[in-house]
PDB file of all heavy atoms in Angstrom:
ATOM      1  N   GLN A   1      98.362 118.401  93.679  1.00  0.00           N
ATOM      2  CA  GLN A   1      98.784 117.206  92.971  1.00  0.00           C
ATOM      3  C   GLN A   1      99.706 116.352  93.847  1.00  0.00           C
ATOM      4  O   GLN A   1      99.561 115.113  93.914  1.00  0.00           O
ATOM      5  CB  GLN A   1      99.511 117.590  91.676  1.00  0.00           C
ATOM      6  CG  GLN A   1      98.650 118.377  90.697  1.00  0.00           C
ATOM      7  CD  GLN A   1      97.478 117.594  90.151  1.00  0.00           C
ATOM      8  OE1 GLN A   1      97.481 116.370  90.174  1.00  0.00           O
ATOM      9  NE2 GLN A   1      96.443 118.266  89.673  1.00  0.00           N
ATOM     10  N   ALA A   2     100.656 117.007  94.498  1.00  0.00           N
ATOM     11  CA  ALA A   2     101.591 116.255  95.351  1.00  0.00           C
ATOM     12  C   ALA A   2     100.847 115.608  96.541  1.00  0.00           C
ATOM     13  O   ALA A   2     101.172 114.470  96.927  1.00  0.00           O
ATOM     14  CB  ALA A   2     102.681 117.171  95.852  1.00  0.00           C
ATOM     15  N   ALA A   3      99.903 116.319  97.123  1.00  0.00           N
ATOM     16  CA  ALA A   3      99.170 115.802  98.270  1.00  0.00           C
ATOM     17  C   ALA A   3      98.362 114.588  97.874  1.00  0.00           C
ATOM     18  O   ALA A   3      98.241 113.612  98.668  1.00  0.00           O
ATOM     19  CB  ALA A   3      98.266 116.888  98.852  1.00  0.00           C
ATOM     20  N   ARG A   4      97.797 114.578  96.679  1.00  0.00           N
ATOM     21  CA  ARG A   4      96.996 113.432  96.273  1.00  0.00           C
ATOM     22  C   ARG A   4      97.868 112.188  96.030  1.00  0.00           C
ATOM     23  O   ARG A   4      97.443 111.061  96.331  1.00  0.00           O
ATOM     24  CB  ARG A   4      96.220 113.794  95.027  1.00  0.00           C
ATOM     25  CG  ARG A   4      95.110 114.797  95.327  1.00  0.00           C
ATOM     26  CD  ARG A   4      94.220 115.140  94.153  1.00  0.00           C
ATOM     27  NE  ARG A   4      93.090 115.942  94.600  1.00  0.00           N
ATOM     28  CZ  ARG A   4      92.171 116.443  93.794  1.00  0.00           C
ATOM     29  NH1 ARG A   4      92.245 116.219  92.495  1.00  0.00           N
ATOM     30  NH2 ARG A   4      91.157 117.138  94.281  1.00  0.00           N
ATOM     31  N   VAL A   5      99.036 112.406  95.543  1.00  0.00           N
ATOM     32  CA  VAL A   5      99.980 111.286  95.435  1.00  0.00           C
ATOM     33  C   VAL A   5     100.360 110.753  96.817  1.00  0.00           C
ATOM     34  O   VAL A   5     100.414 109.549  97.063  1.00  0.00           O
ATOM     35  CB  VAL A   5     101.235 111.702  94.647  1.00  0.00           C
ATOM     36  CG1 VAL A   5     102.280 110.602  94.665  1.00  0.00           C
ATOM     37  CG2 VAL A   5     100.889 112.076  93.219  1.00  0.00           C
ATOM     38  N   ALA A   6     100.587 111.700  97.758  1.00  0.00           N
ATOM     39  CA  ALA A   6     100.956 111.316  99.115  1.00  0.00           C
ATOM     40  C   ALA A   6      99.836 110.541  99.790  1.00  0.00           C
ATOM     41  O   ALA A   6     100.059 109.591 100.559  1.00  0.00           O
ATOM     42  CB  ALA A   6     101.323 112.545  99.925  1.00  0.00           C
ATOM     43  N   ILE A   7      98.572 110.960  99.528  1.00  0.00           N
ATOM     44  CA  ILE A   7      97.428 110.254 100.147  1.00  0.00           C
ATOM     45  C   ILE A   7      97.355 108.822  99.654  1.00  0.00           C
ATOM     46  O   ILE A   7      97.155 107.876 100.434  1.00  0.00           O
ATOM     47  CB  ILE A   7      96.122 111.007  99.808  1.00  0.00           C
ATOM     48  CG1 ILE A   7      96.034 112.294 100.623  1.00  0.00           C
ATOM     49  CG2 ILE A   7      94.913 110.125 100.091  1.00  0.00           C
ATOM     50  CD1 ILE A   7      94.805 113.147 100.317  1.00  0.00           C
ATOM     51  N   ALA A   8      97.520 108.646  98.333  1.00  0.00           N
ATOM     52  CA  ALA A   8      97.497 107.284  97.807  1.00  0.00           C
ATOM     53  C   ALA A   8      98.574 106.417  98.400  1.00  0.00           C
ATOM     54  O   ALA A   8      98.340 105.245  98.772  1.00  0.00           O
ATOM     55  CB  ALA A   8      97.637 107.332  96.279  1.00  0.00           C
ATOM     56  N   SER A   9      99.786 106.949  98.555  1.00  0.00           N
ATOM     57  CA  SER A   9     100.873 106.169  99.117  1.00  0.00           C
ATOM     58  C   SER A   9     100.637 105.902 100.589  1.00  0.00           C
ATOM     59  O   SER A   9     100.872 104.780 101.077  1.00  0.00           O
ATOM     60  CB  SER A   9     102.208 106.938  98.938  1.00  0.00           C
ATOM     61  OG  SER A   9     102.470 107.119  97.564  1.00  0.00           O
ATOM     62  N   SER A  10     100.185 106.905 101.340  1.00  0.00           N
ATOM     63  CA  SER A  10      99.983 106.709 102.783  1.00  0.00           C
ATOM     64  C   SER A  10      98.807 105.797 103.073  1.00  0.00           C
ATOM     65  O   SER A  10      98.826 105.053 104.066  1.00  0.00           O
ATOM     66  CB  SER A  10      99.758 108.099 103.457  1.00  0.00           C
ATOM     67  OG  SER A  10      98.641 108.750 102.915  1.00  0.00           O
ATOM     68  N   GLN A  11      97.810 105.790 102.217  1.00  0.00           N
ATOM     69  CA  GLN A  11      96.710 104.846 102.384  1.00  0.00           C
ATOM     70  C   GLN A  11      97.197 103.407 102.220  1.00  0.00           C
ATOM     71  O   GLN A  11      96.810 102.520 103.011  1.00  0.00           O
ATOM     72  CB  GLN A  11      95.569 105.158 101.383  1.00  0.00           C
ATOM     73  CG  GLN A  11      94.717 106.360 101.760  1.00  0.00           C
ATOM     74  CD  GLN A  11      93.702 106.704 100.705  1.00  0.00           C
ATOM     75  OE1 GLN A  11      93.835 106.320  99.521  1.00  0.00           O
ATOM     76  NE2 GLN A  11      92.636 107.389 101.100  1.00  0.00           N
ATOM     77  N   GLU A  12      98.013 103.184 101.212  1.00  0.00           N
ATOM     78  CA  GLU A  12      98.541 101.835 100.999  1.00  0.00           C
ATOM     79  C   GLU A  12      99.476 101.436 102.142  1.00  0.00           C
ATOM     80  O   GLU A  12      99.456 100.310 102.626  1.00  0.00           O
ATOM     81  CB  GLU A  12      99.283 101.787  99.665  1.00  0.00           C
ATOM     82  CG  GLU A  12      99.916 100.435  99.332  1.00  0.00           C
ATOM     83  CD  GLU A  12      98.883  99.330  99.184  1.00  0.00           C
ATOM     84  OE1 GLU A  12      97.684  99.645  98.985  1.00  0.00           O
ATOM     85  OE2 GLU A  12      99.285  98.163  99.220  1.00  0.00           O
ATOM     86  N   ASN A  13     100.281 102.406 102.604  1.00  0.00           N
ATOM     87  CA  ASN A  13     101.205 102.133 103.718  1.00  0.00           C
ATOM     88  C   ASN A  13     100.414 101.787 104.997  1.00  0.00           C
ATOM     89  O   ASN A  13     100.794 100.863 105.731  1.00  0.00           O
ATOM     90  CB  ASN A  13     102.093 103.327 103.947  1.00  0.00           C
ATOM     91  CG  ASN A  13     103.121 103.086 105.038  1.00  0.00           C
ATOM     92  OD1 ASN A  13     103.779 102.038 105.074  1.00  0.00           O
ATOM     93  ND2 ASN A  13     103.253 104.035 105.970  1.00  0.00           N
ATOM     94  N   PHE A  14      99.343 102.527 105.235  1.00  0.00           N
ATOM     95  CA  PHE A  14      98.527 102.278 106.419  1.00  0.00           C
ATOM     96  C   PHE A  14      97.834 100.896 106.308  1.00  0.00           C
ATOM     97  O   PHE A  14      97.727 100.157 107.284  1.00  0.00           O
ATOM     98  CB  PHE A  14      97.476 103.378 106.603  1.00  0.00           C
ATOM     99  CG  PHE A  14      96.539 103.103 107.768  1.00  0.00           C
ATOM    100  CD1 PHE A  14      96.965 103.294 109.063  1.00  0.00           C
ATOM    101  CD2 PHE A  14      95.232 102.675 107.525  1.00  0.00           C
ATOM    102  CE1 PHE A  14      96.092 103.057 110.133  1.00  0.00           C
ATOM    103  CE2 PHE A  14      94.379 102.411 108.601  1.00  0.00           C
ATOM    104  CZ  PHE A  14      94.831 102.618 109.891  1.00  0.00           C
ATOM    105  N   ARG A  15      97.354 100.584 105.099  1.00  0.00           N
ATOM    106  CA  ARG A  15      96.710  99.279 104.918  1.00  0.00           C
ATOM    107  C   ARG A  15      97.707  98.138 105.226  1.00  0.00           C
ATOM    108  O   ARG A  15      97.309  97.167 105.922  1.00  0.00           O
ATOM    109  CB  ARG A  15      96.193  99.140 103.479  1.00  0.00           C
ATOM    110  CG  ARG A  15      95.394  97.900 103.201  1.00  0.00           C
ATOM    111  CD  ARG A  15      95.026  97.781 101.755  1.00  0.00           C
ATOM    112  NE  ARG A  15      96.219  97.591 100.924  1.00  0.00           N
ATOM    113  CZ  ARG A  15      96.818  96.401 100.777  1.00  0.00           C
ATOM    114  NH1 ARG A  15      96.351  95.321 101.401  1.00  0.00           N
ATOM    115  NH2 ARG A  15      97.888  96.298 100.004  1.00  0.00           N
ATOM    116  N   LEU A  16      98.929  98.289 104.763  1.00  0.00           N
ATOM    117  CA  LEU A  16      99.924  97.231 105.026  1.00  0.00           C
ATOM    118  C   LEU A  16     100.266  97.161 106.512  1.00  0.00           C
ATOM    119  O   LEU A  16     100.386  96.084 107.087  1.00  0.00           O
ATOM    120  CB  LEU A  16     101.162  97.491 104.196  1.00  0.00           C
ATOM    121  CG  LEU A  16     100.992  97.394 102.687  1.00  0.00           C
ATOM    122  CD1 LEU A  16     102.282  97.815 101.982  1.00  0.00           C
ATOM    123  CD2 LEU A  16     100.588  95.969 102.297  1.00  0.00           C
ATOM    124  N   ALA A  17     100.442  98.339 107.145  1.00  0.00           N
ATOM    125  CA  ALA A  17     100.786  98.365 108.558  1.00  0.00           C
ATOM    126  C   ALA A  17      99.662  97.818 109.386  1.00  0.00           C
ATOM    127  O   ALA A  17      99.891  97.092 110.380  1.00  0.00           O
ATOM    128  CB  ALA A  17     101.114  99.797 108.981  1.00  0.00           C
ATOM    129  N   GLN A  18      98.414  98.111 109.007  1.00  0.00           N
ATOM    130  CA  GLN A  18      97.255  97.588 109.724  1.00  0.00           C
ATOM    131  C   GLN A  18      97.211  96.077 109.606  1.00  0.00           C
ATOM    132  O   GLN A  18      96.946  95.369 110.587  1.00  0.00           O
ATOM    133  CB  GLN A  18      95.980  98.205 109.134  1.00  0.00           C
ATOM    134  CG  GLN A  18      94.684  97.784 109.856  1.00  0.00           C
ATOM    135  CD  GLN A  18      94.512  98.509 111.172  1.00  0.00           C
ATOM    136  OE1 GLN A  18      94.426  99.727 111.194  1.00  0.00           O
ATOM    137  NE2 GLN A  18      94.484  97.784 112.287  1.00  0.00           N
ATOM    138  N   GLY A  19      97.478  95.580 108.414  1.00  0.00           N
ATOM    139  CA  GLY A  19      97.461  94.129 108.221  1.00  0.00           C
ATOM    140  C   GLY A  19      98.550  93.441 109.026  1.00  0.00           C
ATOM    141  O   GLY A  19      98.312  92.402 109.660  1.00  0.00           O
ATOM    142  N   ARG A  20      99.740  94.018 109.062  1.00  0.00           N
ATOM    143  CA  ARG A  20     100.812  93.432 109.842  1.00  0.00           C
ATOM    144  C   ARG A  20     100.495  93.456 111.338  1.00  0.00           C
ATOM    145  O   ARG A  20     100.795  92.492 112.041  1.00  0.00           O
ATOM    146  CB  ARG A  20     102.114  94.219 109.569  1.00  0.00           C
ATOM    147  CG  ARG A  20     102.690  93.964 108.181  1.00  0.00           C
ATOM    148  CD  ARG A  20     103.821  94.947 107.869  1.00  0.00           C
ATOM    149  NE  ARG A  20     104.888  94.870 108.868  1.00  0.00           N
ATOM    150  CZ  ARG A  20     105.857  93.944 108.859  1.00  0.00           C
ATOM    151  NH1 ARG A  20     105.867  93.026 107.908  1.00  0.00           N
ATOM    152  NH2 ARG A  20     106.779  93.942 109.803  1.00  0.00           N
ATOM    153  N   PHE A  21      99.883  94.555 111.800  1.00  0.00           N
ATOM    154  CA  PHE A  21      99.568  94.641 113.213  1.00  0.00           C
ATOM    155  C   PHE A  21      98.472  93.647 113.594  1.00  0.00           C
ATOM    156  O   PHE A  21      98.512  93.027 114.664  1.00  0.00           O
ATOM    157  CB  PHE A  21      99.128  96.060 113.561  1.00  0.00           C
ATOM    158  CG  PHE A  21      98.829  96.284 115.023  1.00  0.00           C
ATOM    159  CD1 PHE A  21      99.848  96.404 115.946  1.00  0.00           C
ATOM    160  CD2 PHE A  21      97.518  96.334 115.462  1.00  0.00           C
ATOM    161  CE1 PHE A  21      99.582  96.617 117.276  1.00  0.00           C
ATOM    162  CE2 PHE A  21      97.233  96.538 116.807  1.00  0.00           C
ATOM    163  CZ  PHE A  21      98.265  96.662 117.721  1.00  0.00           C
ATOM    164  N   ASP A  22      97.492  93.476 112.675  1.00  0.00           N
ATOM    165  CA  ASP A  22      96.358  92.571 112.972  1.00  0.00           C
ATOM    166  C   ASP A  22      96.795  91.126 113.077  1.00  0.00           C
ATOM    167  O   ASP A  22      96.194  90.334 113.817  1.00  0.00           O
ATOM    168  CB  ASP A  22      95.287  92.721 111.902  1.00  0.00           C
ATOM    169  CG  ASP A  22      94.553  94.060 112.030  1.00  0.00           C
ATOM    170  OD1 ASP A  22      94.657  94.715 113.074  1.00  0.00           O
ATOM    171  OD2 ASP A  22      93.919  94.481 111.015  1.00  0.00           O
ATOM    172  N   VAL A  23      97.824  90.749 112.330  1.00  0.00           N
ATOM    173  CA  VAL A  23      98.324  89.351 112.404  1.00  0.00           C
ATOM    174  C   VAL A  23      99.425  89.213 113.429  1.00  0.00           C
ATOM    175  O   VAL A  23     100.002  88.105 113.546  1.00  0.00           O
ATOM    176  CB  VAL A  23      98.785  88.868 111.034  1.00  0.00           C
ATOM    177  CG1 VAL A  23      97.643  88.900 110.034  1.00  0.00           C
ATOM    178  CG2 VAL A  23      99.955  89.715 110.542  1.00  0.00           C
ATOM    179  N   GLY A  24      99.758  90.295 114.143  1.00  0.00           N
ATOM    180  CA  GLY A  24     100.724  90.171 115.216  1.00  0.00           C
ATOM    181  C   GLY A  24     102.172  90.309 114.784  1.00  0.00           C
ATOM    182  O   GLY A  24     103.080  90.077 115.580  1.00  0.00           O
TER     183      GLY A  24
END
């Protein structure tokens, strides 16, 4: 249960970090 919550959070965090990196 804890790992699935962590996956959801880390996926969102990676999406945001990817977006920030892509726009420089």
Side-chain angles (χ1 to χ4, degrees):
Q1 299 295 338
R4 290 184 171 178
V5 173
I7 287 176
S9 299
S10 59
Q11 284 176 336
E12 179 63 17
N13 183 47
F14 176 76
R15 186 186 66 80
L16 294 175
Q18 184 76 61
R20 288 170 57 82
F21 182 77
D22 289 343
V23 299

